[in-house]
Amino acid sequence: MFALPAPLPVLALLSLVLSACVVDMDPSETDEGVLADGKADGATAYVEIGEADTFLKKRAVQSAELALGSEKCEVPAGTRIELQGSGTVEGSHVRVQLRTPLPGCGFNPGYLYIPHVERASFRLTGTCAGNLSPSACSLLGTIAYAEGTGDRYDIIFGYRYFTSYANHPRRIVCSGGYCSDAAGRYQFLSTTWDGVRAGLPDFGPASQDQAALRLIQRRGVASVDLIDTYAEFTAAIDKLNLEWASLPGSPYGQPTKSMATLWGEFRRLRGI
């Protein structure tokens, strides 16, 4: 869903929330011995940081806004952190409870930025709700990654949440200078949802997956199940950047992910 500048009055805003659907994934490969519920078979739950230094943060916000020690704590590249239970994916971050607090760190649990996590004993991303092909599910997961929603189907623009899947929540939220009623894993505007909801029973996860696939097909990506190569992937994304503002080449003026980053995410989800 694309977001609109905050100063617009509500009536003008509603008139501009048109049918374009613009705006933390299918499971990645896990280590052998990891169970479906995310717990390691006979081992302590853990996360391992990749090649870049990162922070454990008290809140899932930009680390530059946080005070070192009390609101963010340094975690060197390559660190393995043992956890009490599995983490919880929240958008582009995972919330973790450490078995042993970091030295000098004034809080626990905290948040880790998922792209900085190399591997974990649990799934860092969610699954598609329906019985979809690996390529279709991976493409949906890549879109969710770009949108920052991860595996959350109950999310509203501005990282608010709703409690009923009976219908699109139709709640306009203003955040960061923009206003939108975008909701769900794929950030459907209410008007977009109304255009693709025919025959779907609710706004639940399976319905959202099917609606997103309908939008993808409407944009001319007819061979979702056959996306395997970089050329096939970029051809699909180039058709979808009018639907989701986070995709590269989108004309809506909002931050976008690079094609290389999204291709890497798709390959990770697809296992290729």
Side-chain angles (χ1 to χ4, degrees):
M1 288 341 111
F2 65 85
L4 301 172
L8 289 174
V10 172
L11 289 178
L13 173 62
L14 291 174
S15 69
L16 288 173
V17 181
L18 303 176
S19 61
C21 176
V22 189
V23 185
D24 174 11
M25 300 184 248
D26 191 52
S28 62
E29 292 187 27
T30 54
D31 294 339
E32 185 176 357
V34 175
L35 304 179
D37 64 1
K39 296 180 180 178
D41 185 3
T44 301
Y46 69 90
V47 293
E48 290 183 3
I49 306 304
E51 298 179 354
D53 295 341
T54 190
F55 295 99
L56 178 72
K57 298 180 290 186
K58 190 172 183 178
R59 295 175 287 135
V61 297
Q62 292 298 323
S63 60
E65 303 173 16
L66 306 178
L68 189 63
S70 61
E71 294 182 299
K72 69 178 181 182
C73 300
E74 295 177 304
V75 184
T79 299
R80 179 186 174 103
I81 304 173
E82 294 189 348
L83 308 177
Q84 296 182 27
S86 299
T88 303
V89 174
E90 298 183 16
S92 60
H93 291 76
V94 57
R95 185 177 186 271
V96 293
Q97 176 81 39
L98 282 61
R99 290 178 64 88
T100 303
L102 294 174
C105 196
F107 60 90
N108 184 25
Y111 291 85
L112 292 168
Y113 186 45
I114 289 175
H116 290 171
V117 177
E118 180 71 20
R119 61 179 57 88
S121 61
F122 56 93
R123 292 187 176 96
L124 288 174
T125 59
T127 61
C128 293
N131 185 21
L132 306 178
S133 72
S135 288
C137 195
S138 297
L139 182 60
L140 291 179
T142 301
I143 292 170
Y145 169 78
E147 294 295 312
T149 55
D151 65 349
R152 298 296 298 253
Y153 287 87
D154 60 348
I155 193 168
I156 301 175
F157 176 74
Y159 291 98
R160 275 73 164 181
Y161 301 94
F162 59 90
T163 58
S164 173
Y165 284 119
N167 200 349
H168 189 291
R170 303 176 190 277
R171 174 184 169 192
I172 294 175
V173 174
C174 296
S175 177
Y178 297 95
C179 292
S180 178
D181 73 347
R185 191 186 190 206
Y186 312 105
Q187 293 293 274
F188 298 98
L189 298 180
S190 59
T191 49
T192 303
W193 174 252
D194 289 341
V196 293
R197 63 175 297 185
L200 298 176
D202 51 27
F203 194 61
S207 296
Q208 291 183 34
D209 284 351
Q210 290 301 317
L213 289 175
R214 291 178 184 180
L215 290 174
I216 290 169
Q217 292 167 352
R218 286 187 181 185
R219 289 293 180 182
V221 182
S223 57
V224 171
D225 294 344
L226 302 178
I227 298 175
D228 288 310
T229 67
Y230 181 70
E232 292 166 342
F233 177 78
T234 56
I237 295 298
D238 286 342
K239 292 179 179 179
L240 299 178
N241 57 24
L242 292 177
E243 202 69 62
W244 285 280
S246 59
L247 300 182
S250 169
Y252 300 108
Q254 294 178 219
T256 62
K257 298 289 187 182
S258 70
M259 190 70 76
T261 296
L262 295 185
W263 171 239
E265 180 65 13
F266 178 82
R267 291 181 70 246
R268 187 178 71 83
L269 296 173
R270 184 71 175 84
I272 57 176

